[in-house]
Amino acid sequence: MTQTKYIRTCSIWRALEVVGDKPILLLLESYWLGTRRFSDFQRQTSLLKSVISNRLQKLVDAGCFQKTLYSTKPERYEYRGTEKLLDLYPVALSMFYWEQKWGRVNGKILLSLIHKTCRQQTLPKPVCNGCRVEIDPRDVTWAEGPGVGLMPAVYGRRRRKTRSEKDLITPLFDEIADIIGDRWSALIIRSVFTNLNTYQDICDDTAIATNILAERLERLCTMAIVEKNNGVYKLTPKGRDIYPILIALMEWGDKWYAAPEGPPLLLTHKSCQEPLKHQMACTSCGESVVAQDIEFEFSIQQDHTHAVM
Ligand SMILES: [Zn+2]
Ligand SMILES: [Zn+2]
């Protein structure tokens, strides 16, 4: 019998147990673009029926979706986002921001966002709520919070990925979905952010099986997210920009999964000395953006179709 390993309690870890999965990200992406029904999810994502029903159920069980009957004969359901799901919107916007800056360009959906309140085109960026400066990990200090402790590193079982699943295209998030949709990669990056940056440190911090860890580290190097120097892994600028996404995930995890005593980790923004709180700010008017404030238009690069939702 293998011994249970313990790792430090972490809201990012808890959040990734729900969203650190590529089919889930693909379904959420489709949801943000307006999809609500099973058949539409199928058409939009090209995922296998069994995968869709498994992941939608997982999102229902996690309290992110509510199933609502919209037809009785035949019995058909719609999936509506709950408050918990709406709270993931900053995560989605942070991923979108990263993808626009660093992601592959080919065949990507071109999406332009309009901020309804200022009527301007916008690409919301992650800022500190206190001083409105763009979040940079080098400006953040951290301390143990009241919820700090150890938890067993029990990773929820996943089905083995089929080949077609690995090749899935997430048109909006694309490259970032390869990282956030793979909880191992995201957890490795989390470790490096906290200066745990040798192979052994990362191994102890994440309790990831050594063969998976070695493979993911190599992949993150190939993707130019981290670079290895004298046995130490360091984030590149491209990797550093993943930080706000992890912060958004952490806040979501803190809100929905933290222990009653409070969050495990407290972050302070150096420039304003306030507790770091992640906000997505409109690049035109500077105001914080929530889901209801955004309208979008998209077109697909290859065939020049254009649609407004
Ligand atoms: Zn600040
Ligand atoms: Zn605006």
Side-chain angles (χ1 to χ4, degrees):
M1 236 178 83
T2 48
Q3 223 186 338
T4 308
K5 287 187 181 160
Y6 285 82
I7 55 169
R8 61 193 159 109
T9 43
C10 173
S11 295
I12 298 173
W13 192 93
R14 287 165 173 148
L16 286 169
E17 276 293 290
V18 181
V19 298
D21 174 62
K22 213 167 167 186
I24 291 240
L25 288 180
L26 194 53
L27 291 168
L28 290 179
E29 179 187 278
S30 186
Y31 176 84
W32 297 121
L33 292 174
T35 308
R36 300 290 180 269
R37 296 178 178 181
F38 195 97
S39 54
D40 295 332
F41 279 120
Q42 213 181 343
R43 200 163 36 80
Q44 295 275 342
T45 63
S46 325
L47 287 167
L48 293 173
K49 246 177 151 168
S50 57
V51 175
I52 299 178
S53 87
N54 171 284
R55 299 311 201 280
L56 286 177
Q57 190 54 47
K58 203 181 160 195
L59 287 165
V60 170
D61 293 343
C64 294
F65 275 151
Q66 238 167 7
K67 257 170 105 171
T68 326
L69 199 68
Y70 74 86
S71 151
T72 42
K73 279 182 191 156
E75 214 173 88
R76 294 274 186 271
Y77 292 90
E78 274 187 352
Y79 293 83
R80 302 252 175 92
T82 59
E83 184 198 341
K84 190 173 179 182
L85 186 87
L86 273 184
D87 280 347
L88 278 174
Y89 195 65
V91 176
L93 279 181
S94 300
M95 286 173 66
F96 183 66
Y97 182 74
W98 187 94
E99 190 69 33
Q100 295 296 308
K101 191 166 171 185
W102 297 105
R104 300 174 276 251
V105 182
N106 269 346
K108 191 183 281 180
I109 284 190
L110 299 177
L111 186 78
S112 37
L113 307 179
I114 313 285
H115 191 206
K116 282 192 211 166
T117 49
C118 71
R119 302 301 317 161
Q120 300 295 315
Q121 197 168 328
T122 184
L123 177 62
K125 63 175 180 183
V127 300
C128 160
N129 187 41
C131 62
R132 316 303 287 178
V133 169
E134 188 164 345
I135 294 173
D136 181 316
R138 292 166 296 184
D139 298 336
V140 180
T141 56
W142 66 89
E144 287 182 352
V148 71
L150 291 174
M151 60 186 195
V154 181
Y155 288 102
R157 273 172 182 276
R158 297 275 161 84
R159 285 180 319 108
R160 221 182 152 70
K161 287 188 177 75
T162 59
R163 176 148 184 83
S164 63
E165 227 172 279
K166 277 189 197 150
D167 297 337
L168 279 178
I169 296 170
T170 40
L172 219 53
F173 299 144
D174 201 18
E175 194 171 339
I176 191 64
D178 285 342
I179 300 163
I180 302 298
D182 175 66
R183 58 188 164 162
W184 310 125
S185 304
L187 287 171
I188 291 168
I189 294 169
R190 177 201 70 149
S191 296
V192 180
F193 273 124
T194 47
N195 292 336
L196 297 165
N197 46 22
T198 64
Y199 178 87
Q200 198 52 50
D201 282 347
I202 300 169
C203 190
D204 294 342
D205 188 46
T206 57
I208 299 176
T210 49
N211 57 330
I212 298 178
L213 180 58
E215 195 268 328
R216 292 308 199 277
L217 279 167
E218 203 181 305
R219 198 164 74 107
L220 289 169
C221 286
T222 311
M223 290 173 84
I225 301 291
V226 294
E227 53 196 11
K228 191 181 175 188
N229 223 325
N230 294 325
V232 170
Y233 292 91
K234 209 176 135 235
L235 289 149
T236 62
K238 184 180 178 184
R240 215 156 45 218
D241 276 351
I242 294 174
Y243 187 71
I245 304 171
L246 295 186
I247 295 300
L249 279 169
M250 190 186 95
E251 286 186 8
W252 188 75
D254 278 349
K255 175 165 175 188
W256 293 99
Y257 293 102
E261 52 271 25
L265 193 68
L266 299 173
L267 303 178
T268 304
H269 198 222
K270 281 190 213 162
S271 11
C272 64
Q273 288 302 312
E274 294 285 325
L276 181 69
K277 187 151 178 0
H278 174 284
Q279 296 274 298
M280 294 305 290
C282 170
T283 29
S284 290
C285 69
E287 292 298 313
S288 297
V289 162
V290 294
Q292 305 88 288
D293 294 345
I294 293 287
E295 257 170 26
F296 51 86
E297 286 185 1
F298 68 91
S299 50
I300 296 164
Q301 222 161 12
Q302 300 111 320
D303 57 6
H304 306 290
T305 49
H306 191 257
V308 181
M309 290 185 73

